[in-house]
């Protein structure tokens, strides 16, 4: 059945997952962004409104991550009519939860669906990356791939783009806590040297392999031992007030691991038990409070669906 308007949801994500800078990520159940699209005969993309961003995001379609992604999709498939688009930001911006990726993914997923899926889901990733490029200055795929496909993903290669969906224990519970701090991904990326020492690379490689192995074997001890980041965390943690104390709180209250979510300031922790996870989140929030920082948290399983249509 063809229709003239559609609404899609794409979830927030935790990128890097400590040891996997730019190559590991997973999706959470909530929050996430919604994009509503209406087909028009007037060529071009018109952003009718952006909700929930407190006026912070560009409404110029050449600068907004969702419309830039959709335009690159149009260029690829040769679509010459137009659309009106509403972006509903249901998650914080510059939070380290993959906000720009969620908008881009919801946009390309919605347009592909309303045009009766000329491309398959996985093929939409390259367009969402154009949105990441405009928003963060780099086309990293860890957030966008996880938001699009759901689950726990590995970016095996960027050129050619090769995304692998990883096995993971289905009872894993994720805590993501977002403090009222802002970190610009572009700036946070500049903190990381492009020259990595051999011993750091060896440590990171061992931990990535350990984490993937632990996830597939449901070996929580191995997962826990592998959630170590010697590349990004030492630089970026300085941008998050109280980071070491909050991480220690999460571990003290039973988290199997904890680290910076994406480029921060959000922090993620993993647990195997919902009740324990709620308690860890509560204690992390209290710890932020002791630094005079308000925060809000989300506790959920890993989202194994990714982007979806919500007005069927
Ligand atoms: N992998 C990216 C980074 C994620 O760490 O810069 C940004 O959210």
């Amino acid at each position: 059945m063809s229709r003239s308007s559609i609404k899609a949801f794409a979830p927030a994500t935790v990128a890097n997952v400590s040891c996997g800078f730019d190559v590991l990520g997973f999706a959470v159940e909530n929050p996430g962004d919604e994009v509503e699209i209406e087909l028009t005969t007037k060529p071009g993309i018109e952003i009718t409104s952006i909700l929930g961003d407190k006026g912070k995001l560009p409404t110029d379609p050449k600068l907004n991550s969702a419309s830039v992604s959709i335009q690159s999709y149009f260029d690829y498939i040769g679509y010459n009519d137009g659309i009106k688009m509403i972006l509903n930001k249901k998650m914080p911006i510059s939070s380290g939860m993959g906000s720009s990726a969620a908008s881009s993914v919801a946009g390309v997923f919605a347009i592909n669906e309303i045009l009766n899926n000329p491309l398959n889901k996985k093929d939409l990733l390259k367009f969402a990356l154009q949105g990441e490029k405009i928003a963060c200055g780099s086309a990293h795929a860890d957030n966008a791939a996880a938001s699009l496909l759901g689950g726990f993903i590995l970016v095996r290669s960027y050129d050619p783009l090769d995304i692998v969906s990883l096995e993971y224990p289905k009872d894993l519970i994720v805590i993501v806590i977002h403090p009222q701090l802002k970190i610009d991904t572009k700036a946070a990326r500049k903190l990381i040297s492009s020259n990595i020492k051999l011993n750091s690379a060896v440590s990171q490689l061992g931990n990535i392999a350990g984490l993937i192995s632990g996830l597939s074997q449901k070996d929580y001890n191995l997962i826990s031992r592998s959630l170590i980041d010697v590349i990004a965390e030492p630089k970026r943690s300085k941008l998050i007030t109280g980071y070491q104390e909050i991480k220690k709180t999460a571990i003290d209250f039973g988290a199997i691991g904890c680290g910076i979510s994406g480029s921060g300031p959000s922090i993620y922790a993993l647990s195997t038990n919902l009740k324990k996870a709620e308690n860890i989140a509560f204690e992390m929030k209290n710890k932020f409070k002791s630094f005079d920082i308000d925060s809000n948290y989300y506790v959920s399983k890993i989202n194994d669906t990714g982007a979806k249509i919500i007005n069927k």
Side-chain angles (χ1 to χ4, degrees):
M1 193 185 80
S2 68
R3 55 189 145 185
S4 62
S5 81
I6 202 162
K7 197 195 279 186
F9 166 86
T13 46
V14 169
N16 300 337
V17 201
S18 298
C19 49
F21 181 73
D22 276 359
V23 300
L24 290 178
F26 60 76
V28 295
E29 295 286 356
N30 60 75
D33 280 352
E34 292 172 9
V35 170
E36 197 173 340
I37 283 176
E38 190 191 323
L39 297 179
T40 64
T41 45
K42 186 177 156 211
I45 300 173
E46 182 189 335
I47 301 179
T48 321
S49 59
I50 302 180
L51 310 170
D53 71 325
K54 298 190 180 127
K56 288 185 185 136
L57 293 177
T59 50
D60 178 346
K62 290 194 174 63
L63 300 176
N64 183 282
S65 61
S67 44
V68 165
S69 303
I70 294 171
Q71 186 59 55
S72 68
Y73 171 93
F74 283 166
D75 295 344
Y76 182 83
I77 64 161
Y79 180 79
N80 296 316
D81 286 341
I83 59 161
K84 286 185 178 178
M85 184 193 112
I86 298 171
L87 170 59
N88 194 352
K89 290 298 304 174
K90 295 193 139 181
M91 58 185 288
I93 298 163
S94 300
S95 60
M97 298 170 71
S99 166
S100 52
S103 299
S104 302
V105 165
V108 289
F109 189 74
I111 190 65
N112 191 52
E113 180 82 19
I114 201 170
L115 296 178
N116 294 319
N117 295 305
L119 301 183
N120 70 39
K121 203 177 189 189
K122 220 170 175 175
D123 286 339
L124 300 176
L125 181 60
K126 54 180 176 287
F127 310 111
L129 295 190
Q130 298 308 310
E132 283 294 69
K133 213 170 179 177
I134 203 93
C136 316
S138 103
H140 54 276
D142 42 359
N143 292 112
S147 184
L148 178 67
L149 303 172
F152 209 125
I153 62 87
L154 164 72
V155 186
R156 206 263 330 146
S157 154
Y158 272 84
D159 188 14
L161 204 50
D162 184 4
I163 308 298
V164 180
S165 290
L166 301 173
E167 291 284 322
Y168 61 92
K170 295 293 179 278
D171 49 4
L172 211 50
I173 306 284
V174 185
I175 299 137
V176 184
I177 186 159
H178 172 237
Q180 297 305 309
L181 301 167
K182 285 225 174 316
I183 294 180
D184 174 46
T185 299
K186 228 181 252 180
R189 292 183 74 80
K190 284 195 184 131
L191 289 179
I192 299 166
S193 164
S194 48
N195 295 312
I196 303 296
K197 285 195 176 140
L198 184 60
N199 59 351
S200 300
V202 169
S203 161
Q204 211 84 351
L205 291 169
N207 283 318
I208 292 180
L211 177 57
I212 293 175
S213 181
L215 287 168
S216 70
Q217 294 169 39
K218 208 176 165 180
D219 181 340
Y220 293 120
N221 195 291
L222 178 55
I223 293 171
S224 178
R225 299 201 304 281
S226 305
L227 290 172
I228 296 169
D229 174 14
V230 297
I231 291 177
E233 186 184 275
K235 307 276 185 204
R236 289 174 166 177
S237 57
K238 295 182 183 127
L239 304 176
I240 307 170
T241 310
Y243 177 75
Q244 298 302 343
E245 290 83 352
I246 281 121
K247 182 172 174 175
K248 182 173 180 322
T249 300
I251 301 295
D252 287 351
F253 281 86
I256 58 174
C258 177
I260 301 173
S261 175
S263 57
S266 293
I267 298 175
Y268 82 93
L270 298 179
S271 173
T272 53
N273 174 302
L274 185 58
K275 223 168 153 195
K276 204 190 253 184
E278 293 281 4
N279 190 43
I280 293 166
F282 179 77
E283 295 297 340
M284 290 169 87
K285 184 177 171 70
N286 276 344
K287 193 48 94 178
F288 263 127
K289 194 92 206 143
S290 75
F291 288 93
D292 259 339
I293 296 171
D294 271 340
S295 60
N296 53 315
Y297 59 76
Y298 309 87
V299 177
S300 79
K301 286 195 166 185
I302 289 180
N303 170 345
D304 65 5
T305 308
K308 61 180 182 187
I309 298 301
I310 51 175
N311 68 341
K312 272 216 153 110

